[in-house]
Amino acid sequence: GVVPANENAPVDRRKLQARRIRARMTAAQLARRIGVNRSFIPAVERGESGVSPATLGALADVLGCDITDLMPDEKPERTRKRAERKVAA
């Protein structure tokens, strides 16, 4: 789906970090390439900060992937509910 420009886009922090490492970039180098503060990428990778749709697009461009490669996998509703039950048990 389309994410409104004023809302954070969903990003999978582990996928982001894996793509960055595969691209042989430090967090600071990636931040510089997309024009954000050097502390931003580590914050996203720790799950402490979200990203705008524009930033997600810039990350994908620099990392040479599609934005969907940086987003969480869609899980079928049934699988998600089963996982939630296991956590609650």
Side-chain angles (χ1 to χ4, degrees):
V2 175
V3 178
N6 62 342
E7 288 185 26
N8 282 339
V11 64
D12 184 313
R13 59 197 183 104
R14 289 177 194 85
K15 288 182 180 180
L16 172 61
Q17 186 175 46
R19 289 271 176 182
R20 175 180 61 75
I21 291 168
R22 195 175 310 149
R24 300 187 193 291
M25 259 186 255
T26 66
Q29 288 169 329
L30 180 55
R32 193 175 320 114
R33 293 276 303 272
I34 66 166
V36 297
N37 185 292
R38 64 181 295 140
S39 64
F40 177 74
I41 300 299
V44 172
E45 289 180 354
R46 289 190 306 267
E48 296 169 2
S49 183
V51 299
S52 69
T55 300
L56 182 62
L59 286 166
D61 286 345
V62 169
L63 294 173
C65 64
D66 191 82
I67 61 169
T68 57
D69 295 327
L70 299 174
M71 297 171 81
D73 295 325
E74 292 284 333
K75 286 198 175 112
E77 196 60 37
R78 200 173 18 197
T79 305
R80 189 178 302 134
K81 284 204 171 17
R82 195 174 304 133
E84 287 170 3
R85 274 201 302 272
K86 279 185 185 168
V87 171

